[in-house]
Amino acid sequence: MDFNHKLITWYSDKKRELPWRETSNPYYIWLSEIILQQTQVKQGLPYYDAFVTQYPTIFDLANASETSILKLWQGLGYYSRARNLHFTAKHIVNELDGKFPNTYKDLLKLKGVGDYTASAIASIAFNEVAAVVDGNVYRVLSRYFGIETPINSTLGIKEFKSLASTLIDHKQPATYNQAIMEFGAIQCKPKNPDCTVCPFQDSCVALQNQMVDVLPVKLKKTKVTVKYFNFLVFMDPNKKHFSKNALKKVFGNISFNFL
DNA sequence: AATCCGGGGTG
DNA sequence: CACCCAGGATT
């Protein structure tokens, strides 16, 4: 409970003022959460403003063309998010009578809404006790409790979700969830966290054991990329030089070393 | 369980 | 340039 109290106090003191924190309208909360998936606030904010301006209600979004939505999404990346956003808007308007699902269980059924986003909307918009576990939460919890279970392992995902569920403040789940994510985003950062001014200096296991820079643990993804590819080119005797552009037409944008 | 999807950030 | 960040869908 000391953890929760300090966290929420820190949040009251240090949180950023953001437009989706001025509302509990599930449409706006949902919109902001989809935009902020894999996206930093700084990058997503102008897109959020543009969407709210152009599509003030879920009915406006549902009635829009996919082309116009994708155009407004341009530059954000992960374009399936925009297509799922449109699909779900139409689904809620046409199949759910325009009524936004209001429980974690029902939110989870929406396309483009997984465990994290369902928990975020349920807690922030409806004050349901549903613990969020995003990248920030993995980092804060693994460091504070000194947990070395890889966050991208099946066991890790279960462990952190379970821990987050035991920690969430039942009296103010919306504030608690936003506090722990905000803390991870702007203080307990991936690189160079501000440990010198951290309210958890005396209780953070990672800080006391010099493990801040190794937590959270993540499994390597042994991605094998082809680094060298040797081949022979027989020269056209009528030509005096190789053309890199000619090779580019055959192999695409691969860099070549001529030995 | 592994892979893909797009950008931005960092060293 | 190489590598990291990371939620959800898909296979």
Side-chain angles (χ1 to χ4, degrees):
Chain A
M1 274 307 130
D2 187 47
F3 175 77
N4 290 18
H5 180 69
K6 282 185 176 177
L7 192 60
I8 289 172
T9 299
W10 176 92
Y11 183 65
S12 310
D13 193 32
K14 302 286 178 58
K15 71 175 176 186
R16 296 165 289 186
E17 288 189 1
L18 298 167
W20 48 85
R21 290 188 176 150
E22 310 296 314
T23 179
S24 59
N25 182 329
Y27 168 61
Y28 292 134
I29 303 298
W30 166 65
L31 179 60
S32 72
E33 289 299 341
I34 300 300
I35 287 175
L36 292 174
Q37 284 170 6
Q38 287 78 46
T39 305
Q40 304 216 307
V41 167
K42 182 184 173 187
Q43 190 197 2
L45 185 52
Y47 286 87
Y48 174 83
D49 288 336
F51 269 81
V52 167
T53 300
Q54 188 142 352
Y55 311 115
T57 73
I58 196 170
F59 300 98
D60 299 312
L61 187 61
N63 289 331
S65 69
E66 181 163 296
T67 304
S68 61
I69 290 174
L70 284 170
K71 189 171 183 179
L72 208 56
W73 197 270
Q74 196 162 44
L76 253 193
Y78 285 99
Y79 294 89
S80 64
R81 288 185 295 167
R83 288 188 285 270
N84 288 337
L85 190 78
H86 190 211
F87 178 95
T88 293
K90 289 188 289 185
H91 175 73
I92 291 175
V93 167
N94 299 325
E95 315 296 330
L96 304 181
D97 201 25
K99 292 169 185 159
F100 215 101
N102 61 359
T103 64
Y104 166 83
K105 181 172 170 291
D106 285 340
L107 287 161
L108 202 50
K109 297 173 184 169
L110 302 175
K111 190 168 290 187
V113 175
D115 185 86
Y116 162 74
T117 306
S119 301
I121 300 171
S123 61
I124 297 170
F126 303 109
N127 228 35
E128 180 175 336
V129 180
V132 292
V133 183
D134 72 344
N136 296 308
V137 176
Y138 279 123
R139 189 167 53 255
V140 172
L141 295 184
S142 66
R143 285 175 177 169
Y144 183 82
F145 292 99
I147 301 169
E148 299 176 57
T149 312
I151 62 171
N152 57 343
S153 65
T154 304
L155 177 62
I157 291 167
K158 274 182 60 181
E159 277 187 12
F160 282 96
K161 178 72 179 182
S162 173
L163 176 58
S165 298
T166 67
L167 290 170
I168 186 171
D169 194 311
H170 287 233
K171 292 282 171 55
Q172 37 185 339
T175 302
Y176 172 86
N177 272 345
Q178 293 179 90
I180 191 168
M181 291 191 287
E182 185 79 341
F183 181 75
I186 70 181
Q187 172 137 349
C188 196
K189 298 172 293 184
K191 301 293 180 190
N192 306 314
D194 302 329
C195 299
T196 55
V197 294
C198 183
F200 299 113
Q201 278 181 0
D202 60 351
S203 47
C204 176
V205 173
L207 182 60
Q208 292 169 357
N209 295 278
Q210 289 82 43
M211 294 180 70
V212 172
D213 57 344
V214 299
L215 292 175
V217 173
K218 217 177 157 184
L219 288 175
K220 316 282 185 188
K221 26 185 128 212
T222 60
K223 56 166 184 180
V224 180
T225 53
V226 177
K227 197 169 182 182
Y228 299 107
F229 182 74
N230 301 313
F231 60 95
L232 288 172
V233 176
F234 291 92
M235 279 186 81
D236 181 338
N238 297 314
K239 302 199 173 177
K240 295 182 179 177
H241 303 288
F242 284 118
S243 162
K244 286 205 173 190
N245 284 334
L247 289 172
K248 200 170 175 179
K249 284 176 185 171
V250 180
F251 293 100
N253 274 320
I254 302 175
S255 58
F256 291 98
N257 292 314
F258 291 92
L259 302 176

